[in-house]
Amino acid sequence: MKNRFVVTITDINGSKQYNIRQYVKQIVLYVILLVVVIFFFSFISIRLLLTEVRQIEVKRDLMQQEYYKINEKNEELQALIDEKTQELVKVSDRIEDLEGIVGLSDRVVNPKELSLIERVDLASITGAQKAFVMQLIPNGLPMRSEYRVTSDWGERINPVSQRKHLHTGVDYGMPVGTPIYAPADGVAYYVNNGYNGGYGVMLKLEHSFGFSTFYAHLSKIAVQKGDFVRRGQVVAYSGNSGRSTGPHLHYEIRYLGQALNPRPFIEWTMRDYTQIFEKEKNVKWQSLLTMINQLVEIQQTPALLQREQK
């Protein structure tokens, strides 16, 4: 009887006895012990997970605070850039006034005999108009780090297919992950992380007046389709994606869909403002600048200035 466990049930009809072997009792005890152990370890695991979650929340708060600080610093730098731009505009206007005083621009010439540069100079473009144009039309390099030109614009033998064709951009050799900056205000209208016919990860920015810029073989895109971007904003990072023989950036400038030589635009500065008008013949500069000058004049009318001040 020592290996048996007797259960007696008594009701109005009498008593009944049920004999259960001793090992069944042990199994029940083991099950109860297992449940207790599982509950204990679950409790410890939950406590550890809650501690880790709290640590992650603390790190998130610190990163958010750091982001706010960086954002404030960025706004301060942008304000400083705007201030310096205004100073540059004033200096440019004063230089043009001095040229008029000393008689450098008061000669009378038949407009039909003038080159495009001379006709643009006669338009009396102010510093504000120059700054406005260079904010909207791509100019300067799309990166600020060291680089080497691995393939220029023009006819070349493709290093992969070994066939001669027009290379529609400039290739800049640089380490993977180099920041790429927008050369003018615009909007991201093509963002694709696929193969793109060998171009790899690719970004296209649409700028004002029919200009657009292409960025290929990227490692990462920092904007989304439809995002508006400012000149100098990081839009992507260089890479080695697609059909590429090494880490580099393929950079294109197009006007109404036609590929242009990026060199004149890359070398375009406020100091050498008019050189691009002679170097790039595929753009109707005079009508474009005339329209832009009218936009600037409208923007600077007293009524609009008073409305902005309000």
Side-chain angles (χ1 to χ4, degrees):
M1 294 295 292
K2 66 178 181 179
N3 291 328
R4 295 181 178 275
F5 180 69
V6 180
V7 177
T8 303
I9 300 176
T10 304
D11 57 13
I12 59 175
N13 295 320
S15 298
K16 292 183 179 180
Q17 293 183 343
Y18 298 90
N19 296 323
I20 302 175
R21 294 182 178 276
Q22 186 66 27
Y23 70 88
V24 175
K25 177 182 177 181
Q26 294 176 353
I27 291 175
V28 172
L29 292 176
Y30 290 150
V31 170
I32 295 174
L33 181 61
L34 179 62
V35 170
V36 172
V37 170
I38 292 174
F39 176 80
F40 175 76
F41 280 104
S42 298
F43 177 77
I44 296 298
S45 300
I46 291 173
R47 291 293 300 271
L48 292 175
L49 287 173
L50 289 175
T51 302
E52 188 173 350
V53 168
R54 283 194 291 268
Q55 291 176 352
I56 293 174
E57 289 177 347
V58 171
K59 291 180 181 179
R60 182 202 62 190
D61 294 338
L62 292 175
M63 292 179 66
Q64 194 171 22
Q65 292 175 4
E66 189 68 21
Y67 168 78
Y68 289 145
K69 291 179 181 179
I70 293 174
N71 195 36
E72 290 177 0
K73 187 65 176 179
N74 185 46
E75 292 178 354
E76 292 176 0
L77 291 174
Q78 186 63 45
L80 183 60
I81 291 173
D82 294 339
E83 182 181 347
K84 295 300 180 182
T85 301
Q86 292 298 324
E87 292 177 1
L88 182 61
V89 167
K90 292 178 182 179
V91 170
S92 179
D93 290 341
R94 290 174 183 173
I95 291 175
E96 291 175 355
D97 292 340
L98 288 174
E99 289 177 348
I101 292 173
V102 299
L104 292 178
S105 58
D106 56 358
R107 59 192 176 101
V108 178
V109 184
N110 184 355
K112 294 182 179 180
E113 299 176 356
L114 299 176
S115 66
L116 177 57
I117 288 181
E118 291 172 322
R119 291 200 300 270
V120 170
D121 285 340
L122 289 176
S124 300
I125 301 175
T126 65
Q129 291 166 338
K130 291 178 182 178
F132 186 73
V133 169
M134 300 192 75
Q135 186 72 21
L136 300 178
I137 299 178
N139 61 90
L141 285 166
M143 61 277 179
R144 298 172 185 169
S145 59
E146 294 184 0
Y147 65 91
R148 69 185 188 283
V149 176
T150 57
S151 183
D152 217 331
W153 186 88
E155 293 286 341
R156 71 162 187 175
I157 301 297
N158 189 290
V160 177
S161 65
Q162 296 300 314
R163 294 180 180 179
K164 188 175 182 180
H165 75 119
L166 174 65
H167 187 227
T168 54
V170 179
D171 290 347
Y172 295 101
M174 64 187 69
V176 172
T178 301
I180 306 301
Y181 301 88
D185 292 355
V187 60
Y189 79 97
Y190 183 86
V191 176
N192 196 312
N193 293 297
Y195 185 70
N196 289 309
Y199 280 112
V201 179
M202 189 174 186
L203 169 68
K204 299 180 183 179
L205 299 181
E206 188 78 36
H207 306 285
S208 301
F209 312 114
F211 290 91
S212 58
T213 51
F214 293 17
Y215 312 82
H217 306 296
L218 303 171
S219 61
K220 181 181 178 182
I221 299 175
V223 294
Q224 297 180 353
K225 184 177 180 180
D227 285 353
F228 287 92
V229 299
R230 297 280 292 175
R231 184 175 186 271
Q233 177 180 337
V234 175
V235 293
Y237 297 89
S238 66
N240 192 29
S241 58
R243 192 167 59 239
S244 172
T245 57
H248 73 284
L249 168 70
H250 175 82
Y251 176 58
E252 292 186 21
I253 295 180
R254 299 200 174 200
Y255 175 68
L256 300 179
Q258 178 183 0
L260 304 179
N261 186 352
R263 283 285 189 176
F265 294 89
I266 291 169
E267 297 169 356
W268 189 18
T269 64
M270 290 283 284
R271 183 186 297 270
D272 302 319
Y273 184 76
T274 59
Q275 289 187 11
I276 194 172
F277 306 138
E278 287 296 322
K279 291 181 178 179
E280 182 50 69
K281 302 290 188 179
N282 295 305
V283 179
K284 295 183 178 179
W285 290 110
Q286 191 164 11
S287 60
L288 175 61
L289 293 174
T290 299
M291 183 183 67
I292 291 176
N293 292 344
Q294 292 173 352
L295 290 174
V296 175
E297 290 174 359
I298 293 173
Q299 188 180 20
Q300 293 178 341
T301 55
L304 288 178
L305 290 174
Q306 290 176 2
R307 182 178 298 179
E308 290 179 358
Q309 292 174 356
K310 291 180 181 180

